[in-house]
Coordinates of all heavy atoms in Angstrom, one line a residue:
Y1 N 82.8 36.3 -11.9 CA 83.7 35.1 -11.8 C 83.6 34.5 -10.4 O 83.9 35.1 -9.4 CB 85.2 35.5 -12.0 CG 86.1 34.3 -12.3 CD1 86.4 33.9 -13.6 CD2 86.7 33.6 -11.3 CE1 87.2 32.9 -13.9 CE2 87.5 32.5 -11.5 CZ 87.8 32.2 -12.8 OH 88.6 31.1 -13.1
V2 N 83.1 33.3 -10.4 CA 82.7 32.6 -9.1 C 83.8 31.6 -8.9 O 84.1 30.7 -9.7 CB 81.4 31.9 -9.2 CG1 81.1 31.2 -7.9 CG2 80.3 32.9 -9.5
Y3 N 84.5 31.7 -7.7 CA 85.6 30.8 -7.3 C 85.0 29.6 -6.7 O 84.3 29.6 -5.7 CB 86.6 31.5 -6.4 CG 87.4 32.6 -7.0 CD1 87.0 33.9 -6.8 CD2 88.4 32.3 -7.8 CE1 87.7 35.0 -7.3 CE2 89.2 33.4 -8.4 CZ 88.8 34.7 -8.2 OH 89.5 35.7 -8.7
T4 N 85.4 28.4 -7.2 CA 85.0 27.1 -6.6 C 86.1 26.7 -5.6 O 85.8 25.9 -4.7 CB 84.9 26.0 -7.7 OG1 86.1 25.9 -8.4 CG2 83.7 26.4 -8.6
D5 N 87.3 27.2 -5.7 CA 88.4 26.9 -4.8 C 89.2 28.2 -4.6 O 90.0 28.6 -5.5 CB 89.3 25.8 -5.3 CG 90.3 25.4 -4.3 OD1 90.7 26.2 -3.4 OD2 90.7 24.2 -4.4
P6 N 89.0 28.9 -3.5 CA 89.7 30.2 -3.3 C 91.2 30.1 -3.1 O 91.9 31.1 -3.2 CB 89.0 30.7 -2.0 CG 88.5 29.5 -1.3 CD 88.1 28.6 -2.4
V7 N 91.7 28.9 -2.9 CA 93.1 28.6 -2.7 C 93.8 28.5 -4.1 O 94.8 29.2 -4.4 CB 93.4 27.4 -1.9 CG1 94.9 27.1 -1.8 CG2 92.8 27.5 -0.5
T8 N 93.2 27.7 -5.0 CA 93.8 27.6 -6.3 C 93.2 28.5 -7.3 O 93.7 28.5 -8.5 CB 93.6 26.1 -6.8 OG1 92.1 25.9 -6.9 CG2 94.1 25.1 -5.8
Y9 N 92.2 29.3 -6.9 CA 91.5 30.3 -7.8 C 90.8 29.6 -9.0 O 90.5 30.2 -10.0 CB 92.5 31.3 -8.4 CG 93.2 32.1 -7.3 CD1 94.5 32.0 -7.0 CD2 92.4 33.0 -6.5 CE1 95.1 32.7 -6.0 CE2 93.0 33.7 -5.5 CZ 94.4 33.6 -5.2 OH 95.0 34.3 -4.2
D10 N 90.5 28.3 -8.8 CA 89.6 27.6 -9.8 C 88.2 28.2 -9.7 O 87.7 28.5 -8.7 CB 89.6 26.1 -9.5 CG 91.0 25.4 -9.8 OD1 91.7 26.0 -10.6 OD2 91.2 24.4 -9.3
G11 N 87.6 28.2 -10.9 CA 86.2 28.7 -10.9 C 85.8 29.1 -12.4 O 86.5 28.6 -13.3
G12 N 84.8 29.9 -12.5 CA 84.4 30.3 -13.8 C 83.3 31.4 -13.8 O 82.8 31.7 -12.7
Y13 N 83.0 31.9 -14.9 CA 81.9 32.9 -15.0 C 80.6 32.3 -14.9 O 80.3 31.2 -15.4 CB 82.0 33.7 -16.3 CG 83.2 34.6 -16.4 CD1 84.4 34.2 -17.1 CD2 83.2 35.8 -15.8 CE1 85.5 35.0 -17.1 CE2 84.3 36.6 -15.8 CZ 85.5 36.2 -16.5 OH 86.6 37.0 -16.6
D14 N 79.7 33.0 -14.2 CA 78.3 32.4 -14.0 C 77.4 33.6 -13.7 O 77.8 34.7 -13.2 CB 78.3 31.4 -12.8 CG 77.1 30.5 -12.9 OD1 76.3 30.6 -13.8 OD2 77.1 29.5 -12.1
N15 N 76.1 33.4 -13.9 CA 75.0 34.3 -13.5 C 74.7 34.1 -12.0 O 74.2 33.0 -11.7 CB 73.8 34.2 -14.3 CG 74.0 34.5 -15.8 OD1 74.1 33.6 -16.6 ND2 73.9 35.8 -16.1
V16 N 75.1 35.0 -11.2 CA 74.9 34.8 -9.7 C 73.4 35.0 -9.4 O 72.7 35.7 -10.1 CB 75.7 35.8 -8.9 CG1 77.2 35.6 -9.2 CG2 75.3 37.2 -9.2
D17 N 72.9 34.3 -8.4 CA 71.5 34.3 -8.0 C 71.2 35.7 -7.3 O 70.0 36.1 -7.3 CB 71.2 33.2 -7.0 CG 71.4 31.8 -7.7 OD1 71.1 31.8 -8.9 OD2 71.7 30.8 -7.0
R18 N 72.1 36.3 -6.7 CA 71.9 37.5 -5.9 C 71.6 38.7 -6.8 O 72.2 38.9 -7.9 CB 73.1 37.8 -5.0 CG 72.9 38.9 -4.1 CD 74.1 39.1 -3.3 NE 74.1 40.3 -2.4 CZ 75.1 40.7 -1.7 NH1 76.3 40.1 -1.7 NH2 75.0 41.8 -0.9
D19 N 70.6 39.6 -6.4 CA 70.4 40.8 -7.1 C 71.1 42.0 -6.4 O 71.3 41.9 -5.2 CB 68.9 41.1 -7.2 CG 68.1 40.1 -8.0 OD1 68.8 39.4 -8.8 OD2 66.9 40.0 -7.9
F20 N 71.4 43.0 -7.1 CA 72.0 44.2 -6.5 C 71.2 45.4 -6.8 O 70.7 45.6 -7.9 CB 73.4 44.4 -7.0 CG 74.3 43.2 -6.8 CD1 74.5 42.2 -7.8 CD2 75.0 43.0 -5.6 CE1 75.3 41.1 -7.6 CE2 75.8 41.9 -5.4 CZ 75.9 40.9 -6.4
K21 N 71.2 46.4 -5.8 CA 70.4 47.6 -6.0 C 71.3 48.8 -5.8 O 72.1 48.9 -4.9 CB 69.2 47.6 -5.1 CG 68.3 48.9 -5.2 CD 67.1 48.9 -4.3 CE 66.1 47.8 -4.7 NZ 64.9 47.9 -3.8
V22 N 71.2 49.7 -6.7 CA 72.0 51.0 -6.7 C 70.9 52.1 -6.7 O 70.0 52.1 -7.4 CB 72.9 51.2 -7.9 CG1 73.8 52.4 -7.7 CG2 73.8 49.9 -8.0
R23 N 71.2 53.1 -5.8 CA 70.3 54.3 -5.8 C 71.2 55.6 -5.8 O 72.3 55.5 -5.3 CB 69.3 54.3 -4.6 CG 70.0 54.3 -3.3 CD 69.0 54.4 -2.2 NE 68.1 53.3 -2.2 CZ 68.3 52.2 -1.5 NH1 69.5 52.0 -0.8 NH2 67.5 51.2 -1.5
G24 N 70.6 56.7 -6.2 CA 71.3 57.9 -6.1 C 70.5 59.1 -6.4 O 69.3 59.0 -6.8
V25 N 71.1 60.3 -6.3 CA 70.5 61.6 -6.6 C 71.5 62.4 -7.4 O 72.7 62.4 -7.1 CB 70.1 62.3 -5.2 CG1 69.6 63.7 -5.5 CG2 69.1 61.5 -4.4
E26 N 71.0 63.1 -8.4 CA 71.8 64.0 -9.2 C 71.1 65.4 -9.2 O 69.9 65.5 -9.4 CB 71.9 63.5 -10.6 CG 72.6 62.2 -10.7 CD 72.5 61.6 -12.1 OE1 72.0 62.2 -13.0 OE2 73.0 60.4 -12.3
V27 N 71.9 66.4 -9.0 CA 71.4 67.8 -8.9 C 72.3 68.6 -9.9 O 73.5 68.5 -9.9 CB 71.5 68.4 -7.5 CG1 71.0 69.8 -7.5 CG2 70.7 67.5 -6.5
E28 N 71.7 69.4 -10.7 CA 72.4 70.2 -11.7 C 71.8 71.7 -11.7 O 70.6 71.8 -11.5 CB 72.3 69.7 -13.1 CG 72.9 68.3 -13.3 CD 72.6 67.7 -14.6 OE1 72.2 68.5 -15.5 OE2 72.9 66.5 -14.9
A29 N 72.7 72.6 -11.9 CA 72.3 74.0 -12.0 C 73.2 74.7 -13.0 O 74.4 74.6 -13.0 CB 72.4 74.7 -10.6

């Protein structure tokens, strides 16, 4: 949800241009 006006909270859903990366490690025994 991308705010066009942070005061009135106007905005809408959009595909953002930015990419996000998650990394991790899992160990089991």
Side-chain angles (χ1 to χ4, degrees):
Y1 194 93
V2 180
Y3 293 102
T4 56
D5 188 333
V7 177
T8 62
Y9 300 113
D10 289 338
Y13 289 99
D14 205 352
N15 295 101
V16 300
D17 294 331
R18 184 180 175 188
D19 296 341
F20 302 94
K21 184 178 288 186
V22 185
R23 62 172 62 90
V25 174
E26 296 170 5
V27 180
E28 299 175 10

